[in-house]
Amino acid sequence: MKKVALIDYSSSSVSLLIAKTEGSVMESLFHTRTPLSFASTIYQDRELTEIEILEVLDITDSFIENAKSKGVNTLYAIASASLSSIKEFDSVLKMISEKTNLTIYKLDIATEAEARIFANERYSILPNTVLVDFGSNTMKLYSFSDYISTVPIGPITIYEDFVSEVIPTQQEAKSIKNAIRATLDEADLPEEGFFDNAVLAGVYAWVIYQLYSEYYKLEYNHGEMIIQYKKLRKLCKYLIKSEERSMLILKNAPELMKQAVPAVILAKELLRRFKINNIVISDLGVKEGILKSIVQGKREQKGLTLEEK
């Protein structure tokens, strides 16, 4: 048995995945994610400050030490296509590589799509299924045979455009709902009823399930994470109107308080658009797909050999 790991740099966070391998079989053992403190201030062509660069370096160093302490043999690294919006981020990645000896591979949108689908291939048995990846600023939709569309809206853009404080007011939530519906109408999407099932992936999908499971007092039983549209709609109303909503969000999504309610509203409106009632939450994404493809020999990528601490 060997242990492998992968560091994933995105525009909102840096994450670490550790897995054990037996031949071509991979099993995830550990996953952690550190949000970037400056994520909500990222915009096209913005340049990172020295302090922000040091933050990324510090997170990288801590993840390398974490991997060493857990007996990882080889560590890989990837950078999201979304980082292209940050001015001169290539130089930041080069600095990290020089300091740590990590080889960081920048992904393009097509490779990310293939990785998401590969990571979630077990859900391809579900008929007429859409795979939805919730990014911070965009929402990407796939069938299990092809890319479908990118919708230019996400939890961070919703928060920045419509929310004046931390959590949307009822009036702001109404404006958010109308904006999402208009954006979905303008997007090049299949017609209503085209899909019977949805698989929601990405960190915001996980946040949605954390809020959902806490609100309905669900116990995690190591099976699939399922949500129902009608119950999601009820949760959405609670998060918009209840005076106790802050505690639910603080308990289950403290690092994403500003984006949590926009993410729930966005998911609810997308599912409403397609009239989908059967929804699975997946915790598998690009990093799982990339690491799985490396382990199975479908992707060549240089890794950093670690000495056990």
Side-chain angles (χ1 to χ4, degrees):
M1 181 193 77
K2 291 185 177 181
K3 289 184 180 179
V4 294
L6 183 140
I7 295 177
D8 179 14
Y9 298 88
S10 78
S11 59
S12 61
S13 65
V14 184
S15 56
L16 172 68
L17 170 67
I18 296 177
K20 67 177 182 180
T21 65
E22 292 278 0
S24 62
V25 178
M26 186 184 92
E27 179 185 346
S28 297
L29 297 175
F30 176 81
H31 175 225
T32 187
R33 172 184 176 274
T34 301
L36 296 172
S37 64
F38 53 87
S40 62
T41 65
I42 292 296
Y43 53 84
Q44 188 69 35
D45 292 333
R46 181 166 95 71
E47 193 169 352
L48 297 187
T49 66
E50 289 186 11
I51 292 177
E52 291 168 344
I53 293 172
L54 284 174
E55 179 181 336
V56 179
L57 284 168
D58 287 344
I59 295 170
T60 302
D61 286 339
S62 69
F63 281 177
I64 291 174
E65 291 304 310
N66 197 336
K68 286 181 179 178
S69 69
K70 289 181 169 56
V72 169
N73 305 104
T74 309
L75 175 64
Y76 302 93
I78 57 173
S80 167
S82 64
L83 290 172
S84 61
S85 64
I86 302 176
K87 188 177 181 180
E88 297 182 359
F89 199 80
D90 284 352
S91 63
V92 177
L93 296 178
K94 183 179 178 182
M95 185 187 305
I96 295 171
S97 295
E98 291 174 348
K99 185 176 184 295
T100 63
N101 291 321
L102 266 179
T103 302
I104 304 172
Y105 288 74
K106 284 187 67 178
L107 305 182
D108 56 30
I109 293 175
T111 303
E112 289 185 356
E114 292 171 0
R116 284 189 189 91
I117 293 171
F118 189 45
N120 290 281
E121 62 180 347
R122 73 170 183 256
Y123 298 116
S124 63
I125 64 170
L126 299 173
N128 304 321
T129 298
V130 59
L131 172 63
V132 183
D133 178 67
F134 285 94
S136 297
N137 303 302
T138 61
M139 185 169 52
K140 296 183 176 68
L141 280 67
Y142 311 85
S143 70
F144 280 93
S145 59
D146 199 8
Y147 162 80
I148 297 174
S149 180
T150 296
V151 182
I153 193 168
I156 285 183
T157 54
I158 291 171
Y159 175 81
E160 291 175 345
D161 291 344
F162 296 99
V163 185
S164 57
E165 296 186 5
V166 178
I167 304 174
T169 63
Q170 291 187 45
Q171 186 57 46
E172 288 171 341
K174 184 177 180 180
S175 298
I176 290 170
K177 178 187 70 175
N178 292 336
I180 293 172
R181 291 182 181 181
T183 303
L184 293 176
D185 287 342
E186 293 171 2
D188 183 21
L189 298 176
E191 68 275 10
E192 176 185 307
F194 187 84
F195 298 110
D196 297 323
N197 305 282
V199 177
L200 308 186
V203 65
Y204 296 110
W206 176 250
V207 166
I208 290 167
Y209 187 76
Q210 292 301 300
L211 295 170
Y212 182 92
S213 60
E214 177 70 20
Y215 182 70
Y216 289 106
K217 307 301 180 186
L218 303 179
E219 293 185 4
Y220 181 59
N221 59 5
H222 300 284
E224 296 293 348
M225 296 177 285
I226 307 293
I227 64 177
Q228 298 174 18
Y229 173 73
K230 288 184 179 179
K231 288 187 174 181
L232 180 65
R233 188 174 60 187
K234 182 179 177 182
L235 169 64
C236 191
K237 289 182 180 179
Y238 176 86
L239 291 172
I240 293 170
K241 297 181 179 180
S242 175
E243 295 181 357
E244 299 177 357
R245 60 184 181 162
S246 297
M247 187 55 66
L248 178 67
I249 298 169
L250 184 62
K251 181 178 178 181
N252 294 278
E255 298 167 344
L256 295 169
M257 284 197 68
K258 295 178 180 180
Q259 298 99 302
V261 177
V264 173
I265 298 174
L266 182 57
K268 189 263 291 184
E269 288 300 323
L270 179 69
L271 297 168
R272 172 187 173 276
R273 165 70 170 71
F274 289 121
K275 295 288 190 276
I276 296 174
N277 294 309
N278 304 312
I279 306 130
V280 179
I281 302 296
S282 170
D283 57 358
L284 305 174
V286 172
K287 55 186 169 294
E288 287 82 7
I290 292 292
L291 193 56
K292 181 180 176 183
S293 63
I294 292 172
V295 169
Q296 294 188 1
K298 296 182 179 181
R299 175 182 173 86
E300 293 185 4
Q301 181 164 328
K302 183 180 179 181
L304 175 64
T305 301
L306 301 180
E307 294 180 6
E308 189 172 345
K309 191 173 180 180

